[in-house]
Amino acid sequence: MTDQPGPRRELERIRESAGPGAAHSRIALGSGPLPDRLRAAILALASARGEDSSTCPSDAARALTDEWRPLLPRARELARELARAGEVRLTQRGRSLDPDEEWAGPIRIRLPERAHG
């Protein structure tokens, strides 16, 4: 495990826990294509943080490389794609975002709301 705190260490803990997001964290920390790893990092972080918390696209990018800023636009686009597929929900300042609308500024990635009943 890395000695540095942050998203990479969080992915390593998720992988070792074998709990929510573990399978995705194994992909994210693997050697596959970068877009697949970035997508998996988003899903691993969102799954592990649960319904009551969120993650940022930059967390997923920072988990994969120290040179994360160039990955941020791709992470945001992958989050949009995952939201369209219903795998995550995007929020900004506490309100849900439509993945097909234009938006700017910081966003958060959350698990989709589940029907309770």
Side-chain angles (χ1 to χ4, degrees):
M1 207 179 271
T2 185
D3 292 333
Q4 296 180 4
R8 180 162 185 95
R9 179 148 180 142
E10 185 177 356
L11 275 184
E12 291 171 348
R13 280 193 308 264
I14 294 165
R15 178 188 61 197
E16 299 305 318
S17 76
H24 290 300
S25 67
R26 284 191 290 280
I27 294 167
L29 294 168
S31 59
L34 190 56
D36 293 346
R37 293 176 53 219
L38 191 55
R39 179 183 186 281
I42 291 169
L43 290 169
L45 292 168
S47 295
R49 292 183 184 184
E51 289 184 23
D52 296 330
S53 191
S54 65
T55 188
C56 178
S58 67
D59 290 339
R62 290 184 343 202
L64 300 185
T65 180
D66 290 337
E67 299 297 322
W68 60 271
R69 288 190 188 279
L71 288 181
L72 191 51
R74 184 64 180 130
R76 288 172 62 92
E77 186 54 39
L78 283 167
R80 191 185 288 267
E81 291 173 14
L82 290 166
R84 283 184 188 119
E87 294 184 65
V88 298
R89 180 170 58 100
L90 305 178
T91 63
Q92 189 173 58
R93 294 183 200 107
R95 72 174 183 85
S96 290
L97 296 175
D98 181 336
D100 293 318
E101 303 248 333
E102 290 297 318
W103 32 263
I107 63 167
R108 302 297 296 178
I109 304 166
R110 307 178 70 86
L111 289 179
E113 292 179 326
R114 303 285 182 214
H116 298 285

